[in-house]
Amino acid sequence: MKPWEKNIKRVVPYVPGEQPNHKDMIKLNTNENPYPPAPGVKRALQNLDFDRLRLYPDPTIGLLVEELARFYQLEKDQVFVGVGSDDVLAMAFMAFFNSKKPVLFPDITYSFYPVWCDLFHIPYETIGLTDDFRIQKEDYYKENGGIIIANPNAPTGIYENLTTLEDILRHNQDVIVIIDEAYIDFAGRSALELINHYDNLIVVQTFSKSRSMAGMRIGYAMGNPKLIKALNDVKYSFNSYTMNTTSIIAGVEAVKDDEYFRECITKIISTREKTEEALISMGFHFPKSGANFIFASHPNMPAKEILNALREKHIYVRYFNLPRIDNYLRISIGTNEEMKQLIECLKELFIDSAK
Amino acid sequence: MKPWEKNIKRVVPYVPGEQPNHKDMIKLNTNENPYPPAPGVKRALQNLDFDRLRLYPDPTIGLLVEELARFYQLEKDQVFVGVGSDDVLAMAFMAFFNSKKPVLFPDITYSFYPVWCDLFHIPYETIGLTDDFRIQKEDYYKENGGIIIANPNAPTGIYENLTTLEDILRHNQDVIVIIDEAYIDFAGRSALELINHYDNLIVVQTFSKSRSMAGMRIGYAMGNPKLIKALNDVKYSFNSYTMNTTSIIAGVEAVKDDEYFRECITKIISTREKTEEALISMGFHFPKSGANFIFASHPNMPAKEILNALREKHIYVRYFNLPRIDNYLRISIGTNEEMKQLIECLKELFIDSAK
């Protein structure tokens, strides 16, 4: 080892989900939306004044902040925009989790939370979910340095009622509580309606799922102006011009087209319900999904075996080799046609294995 | 103050340069390129398969890494790509400056360096430049936790010879040395030719200046594969999908068009030389520029006064209210026509003031 190697940060990096690239594959492994972005996004990018790309983008991301504020009926100083919700959450961990007491989150949740804690030297404690992957709110009624809860949770897809979250908030008014709502548009009421009652609450959402724009990297946080200012201060200490011009323009158009947005969500929820029925009839069990994926397990065949059998047919789903969930598959909701093919493949698999 | 406010990180954020937006303004304040990106960039974005935006981008940014490796005759594992060189540098500070000894950099340089040190709790020591803003290499021959040098330096524009940098490297083989070359294409030989001789050297460049793409946010680092892996490890611990699909595609096209790239640089250098002559004939003095800007001062009129007079004519240049440089203006090189208007404005100003 050379002496300079001693100065290199040792981190165990997050491993992103596989991004296969087969022709005719069915990609149900990273919770992407099967429908394209709103038509206005294409128009706006094609009509872009390309000469503008030589100029720095607006560091305040003003147009998109404004459009989101309008959409959610907030003030502009209640909205922060970042490069995907991962960027927003990383900034939030840096900005808000600076206590010596541990930050709390469930033992089964988005796997990036402990990675950020390690990266920024934030102490943390994971709280066990119940056997059926539910949050027990009383577990969070103790001293801590902050709380983060994904709702709906990943990768279980379970949506907890706002009353559960509000009870947790009511018991934790001295720390900052982040609700990570990447999948909320497929679920139910957002914690957003609580931000005017709890000034220590930050709600984080993304364009990657319900708005079909994973490729553009847009995430945002909403909360009281003091919290938003703290996020901006950290952002400006890190990289002033985080979001490029094309994302700002595309993001605005996506938010404007409310009708298209609701149409896509309705289609995905309807496909999810049909898929749930088909899976149940085949003996799968899973928690009720509030997301654009189903977290399913089968009593007669190990998840890993199903994963590999599907992969051979170029159908990709996600498997986590982790305690308590290593017999589950996370299956993203694609189009009706894609899910039909998945179900047919699974049927064949179970018929073959029964022979 | 509410109890939760105690947990908020206190930072003094970097203040980005003003982004005025007047019609018919002449914007010479943020070192943007006056020419549009390569024509292939426009074509690639217009022909983009917009449906792809619903999918996550390639987290390895493979296409762009490959194209940069080809351009600079490197291996792919010697190239790291990030969201602007600010993003690359922030990751590099996190990845490489983990010693208890201070990181060294000049007292007059890119103002983000101390901001990142504060954000990541990195001890640092600034080393005074000489009275004519030059580096004295011997000042860096002492124990330290790493070195970062901008070459050409910002905001002076001074380019130091590679032999000076190599002498500093030779005396600092036990720490990581970053050479920040945002403006190198307007200057001379890059430190890139040293990376195969010094495995502790990282060279950082950007698409924001010479490649006319500040609006797309693309920066990159080159160095030995161990350093590049460390950067990727930190990146993947922070945000796996940093660069959006449009930037990846646009970046590839910009690198491919070598002829357009060299043409733009030649034009800017020629305009810089003409502008330098005109400024000298008016009594301005400035260090010889190796960048797309001139760092100029006039013995008969305070910089701030010139700044404000130009602003009234909607010509924007950059002023730093900082010790030792508060009588200088940083003037970006625009088109010939823009610089002609600047010079005419300045002439009028000096004639008026002489009356």
Side-chain angles (χ1 to χ4, degrees):
Chain A
M1 190 161 115
K2 301 264 180 106
W4 53 262
E5 292 186 54
K6 286 198 311 283
N7 290 353
I8 290 184
K9 196 173 192 103
R10 311 271 151 233
V11 288
V12 181
Y14 175 83
V15 181
E18 185 185 17
Q19 293 295 2
N21 197 9
H22 286 281
K23 246 192 113 187
D24 303 323
M25 68 175 171
I26 297 183
K27 190 170 181 303
L28 307 174
N29 69 330
T30 49
N31 297 341
E32 286 144 337
N33 197 310
Y35 304 108
V41 171
K42 181 174 175 171
R43 273 197 305 274
L45 289 177
Q46 285 189 323
N47 294 330
L48 174 67
D49 171 11
F50 285 89
D51 178 56
R52 252 179 81 178
L53 300 183
R54 70 179 184 83
L55 301 174
Y56 281 94
D58 170 15
T60 70
I61 315 179
L63 288 176
L64 186 48
V65 165
E66 215 166 285
E67 193 59 36
L68 284 166
R70 188 196 56 75
F71 185 81
Y72 291 108
Q73 299 176 285
L74 299 171
E75 299 299 320
K76 280 187 282 177
D77 60 3
Q78 292 180 292
V79 179
F80 171 85
V81 171
V83 179
S85 64
D86 283 349
D87 181 53
V88 175
L89 288 166
M91 298 284 162
F93 273 57
M94 257 200 278
F96 302 137
F97 293 160
N98 294 289
S99 164
K100 291 209 166 67
K101 295 174 200 156
V103 166
L104 309 181
F105 48 84
D107 62 336
I108 299 168
T109 191
Y110 187 33
S111 49
F112 238 122
Y113 301 162
V115 174
W116 286 316
C117 285
D118 288 341
L119 185 68
F120 304 132
H121 308 292
I122 300 166
Y124 68 94
E125 186 187 328
T126 59
I127 307 289
L129 292 176
T130 63
D131 284 346
D132 53 354
F133 304 141
R134 304 301 298 261
I135 283 174
Q136 266 191 305
K137 60 188 181 186
E138 297 79 8
D139 296 343
Y140 295 83
Y141 300 172
K142 61 176 177 182
E143 269 217 305
N144 63 68
I147 292 176
I148 177 155
I149 290 175
N151 193 42
N153 197 12
T156 65
I158 293 172
Y159 172 72
E160 299 287 355
N161 274 325
L162 266 201
T163 49
T164 303
L165 295 187
E166 188 164 8
D167 284 342
I168 291 175
L169 269 163
R170 199 176 299 118
H171 284 83
N172 287 282
Q173 299 192 40
D174 291 351
V175 296
I176 293 165
V177 178
I178 304 176
I179 306 296
D180 177 3
E181 296 190 332
Y183 301 101
I184 193 68
D185 295 320
F186 307 107
R189 282 163 62 195
S190 161
L192 192 57
E193 57 186 90
L194 302 175
I195 67 168
N196 290 324
H197 307 291
Y198 297 90
D199 53 13
N200 58 325
L201 168 64
I202 274 279
V203 176
V204 176
Q205 298 190 5
T206 174
F207 281 51
S208 297
K209 321 293 181 186
S210 54
R211 294 190 187 275
S212 306
M213 285 170 71
M216 290 309 280
R217 319 307 307 123
I218 309 175
Y220 52 105
M222 298 169 288
N224 100 59
K226 270 192 191 167
L227 296 176
I228 298 304
K229 181 181 180 302
L231 282 172
N232 273 312
D233 284 353
V234 168
K235 171 195 144 166
Y236 286 126
S237 302
F238 197 88
N239 182 0
S240 323
Y241 302 97
T242 52
M243 178 156 287
N244 71 17
T245 301
T246 51
S247 285
I248 298 175
I249 288 171
V252 168
E253 292 305 318
V255 180
K256 273 186 181 162
D257 197 341
D258 197 32
E259 198 183 327
Y260 181 84
F261 173 61
R262 294 190 190 282
E263 230 173 66
C264 282
I265 291 171
T266 308
K267 282 198 280 187
I268 290 167
I269 292 175
S270 146
T271 307
R272 180 180 76 197
E273 284 166 359
K274 280 182 215 147
T275 309
E276 282 178 335
E277 279 170 34
L279 289 175
I280 285 170
S281 74
M282 296 168 68
F284 278 93
H285 59 84
F286 44 84
K288 183 174 163 34
S289 169
N292 66 338
F293 60 84
I294 297 167
F295 194 58
S297 183
H298 199 283
N300 304 342
M301 198 181 294
K304 188 118 198 218
E305 205 171 302
I306 306 175
L307 173 86
N308 291 332
L310 289 175
R311 182 193 297 261
E312 272 175 33
K313 308 271 186 185
H314 294 308
I315 298 179
Y316 296 86
V317 299
R318 185 89 188 260
Y319 173 73
F320 299 87
N321 195 6
L322 291 172
R324 301 182 64 189
I325 58 172
D326 59 357
N327 201 25
Y328 282 81
L329 294 174
R330 194 193 64 185
I331 305 167
S332 307
I333 302 299
T335 60
N336 273 328
E337 182 52 36
E338 287 174 322
M339 302 319 276
K340 213 180 278 174
Q341 287 188 50
L342 167 81
I343 296 294
E344 273 162 31
C345 251
L346 286 172
K347 276 184 186 154
E348 275 174 38
L349 179 65
F350 282 99
I351 290 167
D352 282 354
S353 77
K355 271 179 193 162
Chain B
M1 190 160 114
K2 300 264 181 107
W4 53 264
E5 292 186 56
K6 284 198 311 284
N7 291 351
I8 291 185
K9 196 173 191 102
R10 310 270 154 235
V11 286
V12 181
Y14 174 84
V15 180
E18 185 187 17
Q19 295 293 3
N21 198 8
H22 286 284
K23 245 190 116 191
D24 302 324
M25 69 176 170
I26 297 183
K27 191 169 179 302
L28 307 174
N29 69 330
T30 50
N31 298 341
E32 288 145 333
N33 196 310
Y35 304 108
V41 170
K42 180 172 176 172
R43 275 196 305 273
L45 289 178
Q46 285 189 323
N47 295 330
L48 175 68
D49 170 13
F50 284 89
D51 178 56
R52 254 179 80 178
L53 300 183
R54 70 179 183 82
L55 301 174
Y56 281 95
D58 170 15
T60 71
I61 316 178
L63 287 176
L64 186 48
V65 166
E66 217 166 286
E67 194 58 35
L68 284 166
R70 188 196 57 73
F71 184 81
Y72 291 107
Q73 300 177 283
L74 298 171
E75 298 299 319
K76 279 187 283 179
D77 60 5
Q78 292 180 290
V79 180
F80 171 85
V81 172
V83 179
S85 63
D86 283 349
D87 182 52
V88 175
L89 288 166
M91 297 286 163
F93 273 57
M94 258 200 278
F96 302 137
F97 293 159
N98 294 289
S99 165
K100 291 208 166 69
K101 293 173 202 155
V103 166
L104 308 182
F105 49 82
D107 62 337
I108 299 170
T109 191
Y110 188 33
S111 50
F112 238 122
Y113 301 160
V115 175
W116 287 316
C117 285
D118 289 340
L119 185 67
F120 304 132
H121 306 291
I122 299 167
Y124 68 95
E125 185 188 329
T126 59
I127 307 288
L129 293 175
T130 62
D131 284 346
D132 53 352
F133 303 144
R134 305 301 299 260
I135 283 175
Q136 264 190 305
K137 60 189 180 185
E138 295 79 9
D139 296 345
Y140 295 83
Y141 299 172
K142 60 176 179 183
E143 271 216 304
N144 63 69
I147 292 176
I148 177 158
I149 290 175
N151 193 43
N153 195 15
T156 65
I158 294 174
Y159 171 71
E160 299 286 356
N161 274 325
L162 266 202
T163 49
T164 303
L165 295 186
E166 188 164 6
D167 285 341
I168 292 175
L169 270 163
R170 199 176 299 119
H171 283 83
N172 286 283
Q173 299 193 40
D174 291 352
V175 296
I176 293 165
V177 177
I178 304 176
I179 307 295
D180 178 1
E181 295 190 333
Y183 301 101
I184 193 69
D185 295 321
F186 306 107
R189 283 163 62 195
S190 161
L192 192 58
E193 56 187 90
L194 302 175
I195 68 169
N196 290 324
H197 307 292
Y198 296 89
D199 54 12
N200 59 323
L201 168 65
I202 275 278
V203 175
V204 175
Q205 299 189 5
T206 175
F207 281 52
S208 297
K209 321 292 182 184
S210 54
R211 294 189 186 277
S212 306
M213 284 169 71
M216 291 308 280
R217 317 308 308 123
I218 309 176
Y220 51 106
M222 299 170 287
N224 100 59
K226 269 191 190 166
L227 296 177
I228 298 303
K229 183 181 179 303
L231 282 173
N232 273 312
D233 284 355
V234 168
K235 171 196 143 164
Y236 286 126
S237 301
F238 197 88
N239 182 1
S240 322
Y241 302 97
T242 51
M243 178 155 288
N244 72 17
T245 301
T246 52
S247 285
I248 298 175
I249 288 171
V252 168
E253 292 305 318
V255 181
K256 273 187 179 159
D257 197 342
D258 197 31
E259 198 183 326
Y260 181 83
F261 174 58
R262 294 189 192 283
E263 228 173 70
C264 283
I265 291 171
T266 307
K267 281 198 279 187
I268 290 166
I269 292 177
S270 146
T271 308
R272 180 182 74 198
E273 284 166 359
K274 278 182 217 149
T275 310
E276 283 178 332
E277 278 170 38
L279 290 175
I280 286 173
S281 75
M282 295 168 67
F284 278 93
H285 59 84
F286 45 83
K288 185 175 161 34
S289 169
N292 67 339
F293 59 83
I294 297 168
F295 193 59
S297 183
H298 199 284
N300 304 342
M301 199 183 293
K304 190 122 198 215
E305 205 172 300
I306 305 175
L307 173 88
N308 291 331
L310 289 175
R311 183 192 296 262
E312 273 176 33
K313 309 275 186 180
H314 295 308
I315 298 179
Y316 295 86
V317 298
R318 186 86 188 263
Y319 173 73
F320 299 89
N321 195 5
L322 292 172
R324 298 183 65 190
I325 57 171
D326 59 356
N327 201 25
Y328 282 81
L329 295 174
R330 195 193 64 186
I331 305 166
S332 307
I333 303 298
T335 59
N336 273 327
E337 182 51 36
E338 287 173 324
M339 301 320 276
K340 212 180 281 178
Q341 288 187 49
L342 167 80
I343 297 295
E344 274 163 30
C345 252
L346 287 173
K347 277 186 187 157
E348 276 175 39
L349 180 63
F350 283 99
I351 289 167
D352 282 353
S353 77
K355 272 177 190 162

